[in-house]
Amino acid sequence: MVQTPIPQHEKDKKVSKLEQLKERSDFLREPLASELKNDSTHFSNDALQILKYHGSYQQDNRDNRAKGQEKDYQMMLRTRNPGGYIPPELYLTLDKLSEEYGNHTLRVTTRQGFQVHGILKQNLKTAISDIVRNMGSTLGACGDVNRNVLAPPAPFKNKPEYLYAWEYAEKIADLLTPQTGAYYEIWLDGEKAISAEEAPEVKAARERNGNGTVFKEGEEPIYGEHYMPRKFKIALTVPGDNSIDVYTNDISLVVITNEGGELEGFNVLAGGGLGRTHNKEETFARMSDEIGFIAKEDVYDLVKAIVATQRDYGDRYNRRHARMKYLLYDWGVDKFKAKLEEYFGKAIAPFRDLPEWKYQDYLGWYEQGDGKLFFGISVENGRVKDKGNWQLKTALREIVEQYNLPLRLSANHNILIYDIAPEQKEEIAKILQQRGIETNPDAIDPLVRYSIACPALPTCGLAIAESERALPGIIDRLRTLLNKLSMSEEHFVVRMTGCPNGCARPYMAELGFVGSAPDKYQVWLGGTPDQTQLAQPYEQRMPIEDLESFLEPILIYFKQERQTGESFGTFCDRVGFDAIRQFSANYTLGSYMEDTSKKRKFRKNQRRVSVPDELFPRLKEVAQKEGRPMNQIIAEALNDYFGKEKETQ
């Protein structure tokens, strides 16, 4: 089987420059280690590519760009904490670092980590070393390796399946953590900080070669010197709990227990991923496929086998085609499973039946099952900050300092405080309320509660349009529109990203906005409230100023034709985009006010006429510019045509 850094079948293929850089880096050391010592405000392109594996991106504040001046360079640090676990000492360290070296905020990510923005290059070593010395790590939070492993954040101590999800998220993260000594050499001068002891079975599994899953030489037994073709994402969950977007990961493992709550094994899904590129149809969002069931004693070897399959057969030339979802798409599940079983060494059992998936956010007060409580806090767009009377950052600092409580971060960028003694509940609630934090989740507008946005501008270098800074205002406009349409009780899942890479998972939303140009967004419709179906692109470049006029006819159509209990996303998928466009074309803005007690119907003798796809955008643009319905413009054009035809007869 495979025993070389790049498999023999890849030898005749071209590889990207980044693959060559990884090979030259001496297992993620250079040129990063050398450049960290110089006085420059930023790293070279080669060094910043290696920096990613250490958990940091080089960015610049795009609001401060000025012609002829150097960019306002700063680093973003991202933590790696499986299952979203943040011990109290780590939280206080991150809080302190954000004040001393960052931009005074923390950002909860959609992979259950924290990001600290605004760190200068000269302070990066101090920041990383402080994180590591306080039970944290940034190693592998970015780069072509396994990223942070997800698990449901709910600390149910009386539900063993949740504890198994936490346990194996931690162990699989350990299994796939880069083994290079570069991280501790560069950031801690070779000192390896004291951390939790790695489980013996994890260490044994990493060293066990099986059928070519492990390299015999070098510092990286699983990754080799080229690491993975692209980033790799894993999640664990329990049956029915879709708090982690189960279909969007390279690997998702679902805990399977017997009636006594004992772990039997895991259902395995593979091949999910959402990143894509505008105008590149060969790139696309994809949901994972069911692979089968694996017994608990085989889970590490199975994960290694999947990693090895992607490592050795994933595309190392075209990075847009390098995620494992494309391997599944190109090969099909049967071929992928056959190659996987070669590495694994035996057949994989059939996938076991599961209940329906339901999204959970765990906001508000819950009993843990061990006599203690946990409390889930809604963090709009994941930004932990103090702004006016809303002082979440101060509130969390006070609670963690006073009660020494751990946190769990959610994949919907919320925060759970747990292990709360019942006698502490009243005082903790008081601190939150005094700092302006809403403690009743039912009082939070569901449009806000279920929304997600990526950071985008001004720090993300990939952002095409606003996201985090824009979504609150867009949510307000959506709520105003719904109220105006007498749909005040309506809500749906809204997600927004500033580029098509999909960090906020907009392609699983009922209403997704994806930046396609400054102040313009692709609009995706048709996801579900529980994130079990991909949305589809409905509009390519909606100017954000047209939000209300764009959505009004769609929402009115939904209001008039929905089935009992049907969600907005499910409705859009059921009726189809052609019907939505047809209704919108015949809809007059504001006509909902004419008779709100009746459904708007076509007149008995009214006929429908389709518009060619290439003409529809032009027709819509003219209609919006002139403030007239599209069917009126079509009627005028036809009258003009028939009038000319009559003159020539």
Side-chain angles (χ1 to χ4, degrees), residues 465-466 496 513-516 520-523 540-542 544:
E466 294 280 3
M496 172 176 271
F513 297 101
V514 179
S516 54
K520 293 182 172 66
Y521 296 85
Q522 268 191 338
V523 178
Q540 292 301 317
R541 288 196 174 196
M542 181 202 72
I544 199 61

Side-chain angles (χ1 to χ4, degrees), residues 110 245 274 452-454 467 495-497 501-507:
T110 53
D245 259 337
L274 299 185
I452 307 181
C454 71
S467 181
R495 295 178 175 180
M496 172 176 271
T497 56
N501 286 316
C503 295
R505 302 189 290 274
Y507 311 119

Side-chain angles (χ1 to χ4, degrees), residues 39 298 319 468 494-495 501:
D39 295 329
D298 291 328
R319 288 183 63 80
E468 179 185 334
V494 182
R495 295 178 175 180
N501 286 316

Side-chain angles (χ1 to χ4, degrees), residues 6 78 86 98 139 196 214 268 293 332 401 508 517-518 554 587:
I6 292 183
R78 181 184 295 159
I86 304 290
S98 71
L139 175 61
V214 168
V268 182
F293 170 82
E401 283 180 339
M508 302 300 291
I554 301 174
Y587 177 79

Side-chain angles (χ1 to χ4, degrees), residues 8 40 53 55 59 77 88 90 159 180 190 210 214 243 267 318 324 360 363 386 454 491 510 537 548 550-551 579:
Q8 190 60 45
S40 172
Y53 294 80
Q59 303 176 330
L77 263 181
L90 176 58
K159 297 182 179 181
T180 175
V214 168
S243 58
N267 269 352
N318 180 4
M324 196 173 77
Q360 306 281 350
L363 300 187
D386 289 345
C454 71
H491 65 86
E510 295 182 90
E548 290 83 357
F550 176 84
L551 285 177

Side-chain angles (χ1 to χ4, degrees), residues 198-337:
E198 185 175 77
E201 66 266 28
V202 172
K203 184 176 181 180
R206 187 186 300 114
E207 297 172 351
R208 187 166 54 245
N209 192 27
N211 297 298
T213 57
V214 168
F215 297 115
K216 295 180 179 179
E217 299 178 356
E219 295 182 51
E220 296 287 4
I222 293 178
Y223 292 129
E225 61 184 355
H226 294 92
Y227 295 85
M228 298 295 281
R230 280 298 297 270
K231 57 187 171 185
F232 199 82
K233 298 181 177 181
I234 298 177
L236 284 94
T237 191
V238 306
D241 187 330
N242 198 20
S243 58
I244 49 85
D245 259 337
V246 66
Y247 291 110
T248 65
N249 299 279
D250 291 277
I251 304 175
S252 287
L253 300 174
V254 185
V255 172
I256 303 295
T257 58
N258 61 23
E259 292 183 358
E262 297 172 326
L263 180 64
E264 291 188 342
F266 303 85
N267 269 352
V268 182
L269 300 96
L274 299 185
R276 44 179 292 279
T277 303
H278 284 316
N279 303 316
K280 301 288 184 182
E281 296 303 315
E282 67 274 17
T283 68
F284 45 82
R286 186 179 191 276
M287 288 173 58
S288 58
D289 298 297
E290 296 177 358
I291 301 299
F293 170 82
I294 194 74
K296 62 180 181 181
E297 57 269 19
D298 291 328
V299 65
Y300 302 126
D301 287 337
L302 188 280
V303 168
K304 283 172 53 186
I306 296 176
V307 168
T309 302
Q310 162 65 356
R311 179 196 68 197
D312 296 343
Y313 292 92
D315 192 336
R316 290 186 180 269
Y317 175 66
N318 180 4
R319 288 183 63 80
R320 289 176 176 163
H321 187 254
R323 287 291 300 275
M324 196 173 77
K325 64 180 177 180
Y326 297 114
L327 193 62
L328 265 293
Y329 178 80
D330 293 342
W331 281 8
V333 173
D334 290 342
K335 180 178 178 180
F336 178 85
K337 191 171 178 180

